Amino acid sequence: MATEAPNTAAENESNTPRKDFIREIIDEHNRTGRFGGRVYTRFPPEPNGYLHIGHAKSIWLNFSIADEYGGKTNLRFDDTNPTKEEQEYIDSIQEDVRWLGYEWEELRYASDYFDQLYEWAVQLIRDGKAYVDHLSADEIREYRGTLTEPGKNSPYRDRSVEENLDLFERMRKGEFAEGECVLRAKIDMASPNINLRDPVMYRILHTSHPRTGDEWCIYPTYDWAHGQSDSIEGITHSICTLEFEDHRPLYDWFIDQLGIHHPQQIEFARLNLSYTVLSKRRLIRLVQEGHVNGWDDPRMPTISGLRRRGVTPKAIRDLCEMTGVSKSNSVVDIQMFEYCVRQDLNKVAPRAMAVLRPLRVVITNYPEDQTEEFEVLVNPEDPSAGTRLLPFSRVLYIEQDDFMEDPPPKYYRLAPGREVRLRAAYFIKCEEVIKDEAGNVVELRCTYDPATRGGDAPDGRKVKATLHWVSEQHAIEAEVRLYDRLFTVEDPTSDPDKDFLEFLNPKSLEVLTGCKLERNLANAKPGERYQFERIGYFAVDPDSTDGKLVFNRTVTLRDEWAKLQQKSGR
RNA sequence: UGGGGAGUAGCCAAGUGGUAAGGCAGCGGACUUUGGAUCCGCCAUGCGCAGGUUCGAAUCCUGCCUCCCCAGCCA
């Protein structure tokens, strides 16, 4: 809209949150002209797993920064280890980045640079700054020293340039077995920074690569590939997580030796969430050991899992923004994420009537064959979403939880002799409770007040509760999957003596069948999100078929009554 | 006990010498045809600890404590 742009700009004047330390660094660069005012970032995932909400933070940071500074962002796959990487992951990562709402400037692969990296390695060898080492992996470890003791030089460290050149070429030609030798940078085996103790640049891997096939049998390590890849792409700000902080001197060293464009690496603390795990290793175990049903199981913190669960991209972006950027390790309360999810869904989700655990209600004074329709707002938060028709008749379903034979204080819902409102319909009063032989309540006999049509009493009398309901003869049935936290404790990884799987929540999934839905949902399509009034937000699962709808609970509505019960109950 | 980081409320997080923002959670209340949403109020005499400098310190100095990362031919 034409009026929107100026408004947004004006709002930003006053509402712009304080800049984080990364943006301040960029401002400083722009002041001093370090990169000529350019801002070029990149998101560099390794395609060895699915993206999760932790990656989303990095994606958000890189793309939103570039956007704010009029810059660009590349998507680059760090595909330097063909033993772990697969095309499946390359595809899913692209899908997820797009779904989050971002489009990259260029799609690149570290493997695009294998030739250049090889040439640069040769250059370092010529300069006497790299050498082929025939120490075994174990020996290299021994020679590296420890945290408190310096390492010692490899006996192969002083081979001549000619010999190194010859050996390295033969490495490339495949004349050596895996592990027989490596190419190492010649830096300082006594450096207090272990990353500088002659790090490995190339290792032999007789494995074909998803992109380069069998062209190579030597592959650059991440340390050798990453900085130069950024440099080649003209990246100005190379944003990464904290654990790479002490690799920065190494990347700087490589780039300085090569004399090429020098990006600024900036490290920030990755996002962690309570009641979940966010490491690839653990996520892979959850999938491979069958604790969840795949990478996109709605209980997974993966982007694909969250998507299937019904979470919106905006909710994820909001969380990233809300939690801020800093350098201190932290664990964000999952409730902050739930808040973001509810906040977005409240504004965009159409409302629907859905009775998850049905209790039959017969309106005894409502004519047997009568049916009428009520027109109700699709979304009270967004009148432009229009209205829908709800059919009403003599026999209805309400939620089992919405009736108590012997209600405790503060329980406002239906009880014997009590009057409540059926949302958008009538006041009803419970006259009789029907039980089976076991004493279970199986049906309620109620009367309605025709004068309260639409939900208001002309005499001004009030009710304390409004219930959702579905007409029996008009209802459609569905399966509803209720998800809860995957783990029972805030940090399943905090106890070093226990496997995180010991803290799996056995009740993380509850499947309900025979749920009764308003008929307007009959044509709901996978991915669509709804608010089931008074219950929560639900998304149509791809498992749905023409005859059978399946819904995933994204998140519950905030629930004052449940909170009260918890306080008094346990 | 080598090197690199970080400590501000239950959880995130501003603060850059002038007297502790904001959000989530929590607790009160208003309103409500979703116990939803919305609105109002409360919630750090205190910034890891101890000293010091200063008229004045979360911010500067000194010492200490705690936590995280690094000893892959993983990224």
Side-chain angles (χ1 to χ4, degrees):
Chain A
M1 294 296 98
T3 53
E4 198 148 337
N7 279 349
T8 306
E11 266 172 36
N12 282 349
E13 275 308 299
S14 52
N15 295 351
T16 297
R18 260 206 66 81
K19 284 187 176 180
D20 56 67
F21 80 99
I22 295 180
R23 283 169 235 251
E24 282 177 353
I25 289 170
I26 294 173
D27 284 346
E28 179 62 16
H29 288 160
N30 286 163
R31 260 193 300 279
T32 61
R34 164 102 178 253
F35 296 109
R38 284 190 315 120
V39 174
Y40 205 145
T41 59
R42 101 268 95 119
F43 173 59
E46 182 191 14
N48 69 341
Y50 278 65
L51 254 30
H52 56 67
I53 193 165
H55 294 110
K57 181 89 178 229
S58 173
I59 292 167
W60 165 81
L61 233 198
N62 279 293
F63 280 92
S64 64
I65 281 179
D67 185 55
E68 286 164 31
Y69 287 90
K72 297 169 177 174
T73 306
N74 286 354
L75 173 61
R76 182 180 68 243
F77 289 101
D78 268 331
D79 54 350
T80 55
N81 186 353
T83 65
K84 293 187 175 177
E85 295 149 7
E86 292 173 26
Q87 187 62 39
E88 176 193 358
Y89 299 133
I90 292 177
D91 296 338
S92 74
I93 288 169
Q94 293 181 60
E95 181 187 1
D96 289 349
V97 172
R98 287 207 175 95
W99 180 78
L100 281 170
Y102 300 107
E103 191 55 56
W104 46 88
E105 178 69 15
E106 292 187 50
L107 177 62
R108 298 292 187 93
Y109 297 81
S111 55
D112 294 342
Y113 313 134
F114 281 178
D115 284 316
Q116 175 65 264
L117 256 9
Y118 182 85
E119 278 175 39
W120 277 333
V122 169
Q123 181 183 330
L124 285 198
I125 293 172
R126 286 213 174 92
D127 292 345
K129 290 165 182 165
Y131 62 100
V132 173
D133 194 349
H134 272 76
L135 249 26
S136 71
D138 284 346
E139 289 167 328
I140 286 182
R141 189 181 330 110
E142 284 164 27
Y143 276 70
R144 185 152 33 221
T146 69
L147 295 180
T148 52
E149 304 156 27
K152 55 187 180 190
N153 289 170
S154 163
Y156 304 100
R157 198 175 198 257
D158 293 317
R159 292 214 254 224
S160 69
V161 167
E162 291 66 32
E163 186 180 7
N164 281 136
L165 250 16
D166 175 58
L167 255 15
F168 187 47
E169 194 182 333
R170 287 168 57 199
M171 275 174 68
R172 178 183 185 168
K173 283 180 178 163
E175 293 184 21
F176 300 109
E178 287 188 13
E180 205 173 333
C181 53
V182 294
L183 184 73
R184 289 229 257 171
K186 191 190 288 189
I187 308 180
D188 178 7
M189 287 307 291
S191 172
N193 181 346
I194 291 180
N195 297 115
L196 263 21
R197 319 238 265 227
D198 291 11
V200 172
M201 296 163 63
Y202 276 95
R203 69 303 209 184
I204 296 167
L205 256 23
H206 291 286
T207 303
S208 67
H209 184 282
R211 295 192 58 81
T212 59
D214 295 319
E215 189 183 341
W216 297 87
C217 65
I218 59 172
Y219 291 95
T221 58
Y222 174 87
D223 278 347
W224 169 243
H226 193 85
Q228 284 75 265
S229 299
D230 283 342
S231 180
I232 290 169
E233 293 174 25
I235 300 304
T236 54
H237 303 273
S238 177
I239 299 168
C240 63
T241 43
L242 255 25
E243 68 269 29
F244 294 106
E245 206 149 14
D246 46 21
H247 290 237
R248 178 157 30 95
L250 171 58
Y251 304 159
D252 288 347
W253 187 88
F254 281 140
I255 280 171
D256 289 344
Q257 300 310 311
L258 263 16
I260 55 179
H261 164 69
H262 198 147
Q264 176 66 53
Q265 173 171 307
I266 306 170
E267 310 84 11
F268 75 103
R270 59 155 32 99
L271 172 70
N272 294 296
L273 274 185
S274 61
Y275 295 99
T276 190
V277 293
L278 248 35
S279 85
K280 263 185 206 171
R281 201 196 105 239
R282 296 194 178 94
L283 260 16
I284 283 176
R285 276 190 70 193
L286 287 171
V287 172
Q288 291 186 344
E289 295 176 20
H291 303 291
V292 297
N293 304 314
W295 286 102
D296 68 342
D297 185 298
R299 290 166 293 183
M300 290 284 276
T302 50
I303 302 301
S304 51
L306 296 169
R307 176 167 57 228
R308 187 167 176 183
R309 174 104 169 218
V311 168
T312 61
K314 177 156 195 310
I316 295 174
R317 282 186 247 117
D318 286 349
L319 179 77
C320 293
E321 190 166 336
M322 188 178 284
T323 51
V325 184
S326 76
K327 298 193 69 156
S328 59
N329 289 311
S330 60
V331 181
V332 170
D333 192 334
I334 190 82
Q335 290 185 99
M336 210 185 279
F337 182 44
E338 292 173 352
Y339 171 85
C340 292
V341 174
R342 291 187 182 110
Q343 182 181 247
D344 187 33
L345 253 16
N346 177 49
K347 294 199 188 82
V348 302
R351 313 285 127 125
M353 296 286 204
V355 175
L356 268 29
R357 298 176 177 86
L359 172 59
R360 218 167 109 98
V361 172
V362 178
I363 313 293
T364 55
N365 61 338
Y366 194 87
E368 291 269 359
D369 302 323
Q370 187 172 317
T371 290
E372 63 185 305
E373 288 182 326
F374 297 103
E375 186 175 20
V376 293
L377 252 14
V378 167
N379 183 353
E381 299 288 321
D382 177 18
S384 74
T387 61
R388 68 194 202 275
L389 263 18
L390 281 180
F392 184 92
S393 60
R394 188 169 193 262
V395 183
L396 314 165
Y397 292 111
I398 65 167
E399 207 71 55
Q400 285 172 20
D401 283 352
D402 284 340
F403 172 80
M404 279 187 106
E405 195 170 14
D406 186 18
K410 301 216 175 147
Y411 182 87
Y412 304 143
R413 282 110 93 151
L414 201 57
R418 194 126 100 192
E419 187 173 54
V420 299
R421 171 169 40 234
L422 292 181
R423 170 121 232 237
Y426 293 105
F427 284 11
I428 60 167
K429 187 173 179 183
C430 178
E431 310 285 0
E432 189 184 353
V433 180
I434 313 290
K435 298 181 183 175
D436 62 14
E437 286 167 5
N440 301 308
V441 177
V442 294
E443 185 178 303
L444 264 25
R445 298 286 164 89
C446 300
T447 53
Y448 84 116
D449 177 357
T452 58
R453 188 172 202 284
D456 270 317
D459 64 6
R461 75 182 190 277
K462 302 288 184 194
V463 290
K464 295 209 73 169
T466 300
L467 309 187
H468 60 279
W469 52 275
V470 173
S471 164
E472 179 185 59
Q473 68 177 108
H474 304 280
I476 57 173
E477 293 214 356
E479 172 181 323
V480 174
R481 299 173 182 170
L482 304 180
Y483 297 101
D484 199 354
R485 309 178 159 151
L486 229 200
F487 294 93
T488 56
V489 296
E490 277 189 38
D491 182 2
T493 70
S494 64
D495 187 340
D497 297 324
K498 291 192 174 171
D499 189 76
F500 75 106
L501 295 173
E502 291 182 39
F503 300 105
L504 273 172
N505 178 5
K507 289 181 278 199
S508 61
L509 169 60
E510 181 181 4
V511 179
L512 262 28
T513 53
C515 303
K516 309 291 185 181
L517 272 41
E518 71 170 75
R519 66 179 181 192
N520 297 307
L521 255 20
N523 295 315
K525 298 286 176 290
E528 287 180 356
R529 310 175 184 94
Y530 294 88
Q531 183 199 92
F532 290 174
E533 288 207 40
R534 301 208 310 130
I535 304 176
Y537 296 97
F538 293 78
V540 183
D541 191 86
D543 283 350
S544 298
T545 56
D546 275 351
K548 183 195 166 201
L549 279 171
V550 178
F551 280 86
N552 295 319
R553 183 173 69 195
T554 311
V555 65
T556 62
L557 250 30
R558 284 185 58 205
D559 189 342
E560 288 295 324
W561 171 243
K563 207 183 289 177
L564 267 176
Q565 279 179 305
Q566 266 195 343
K567 265 192 283 185
S568 60
R570 272 185 311 136

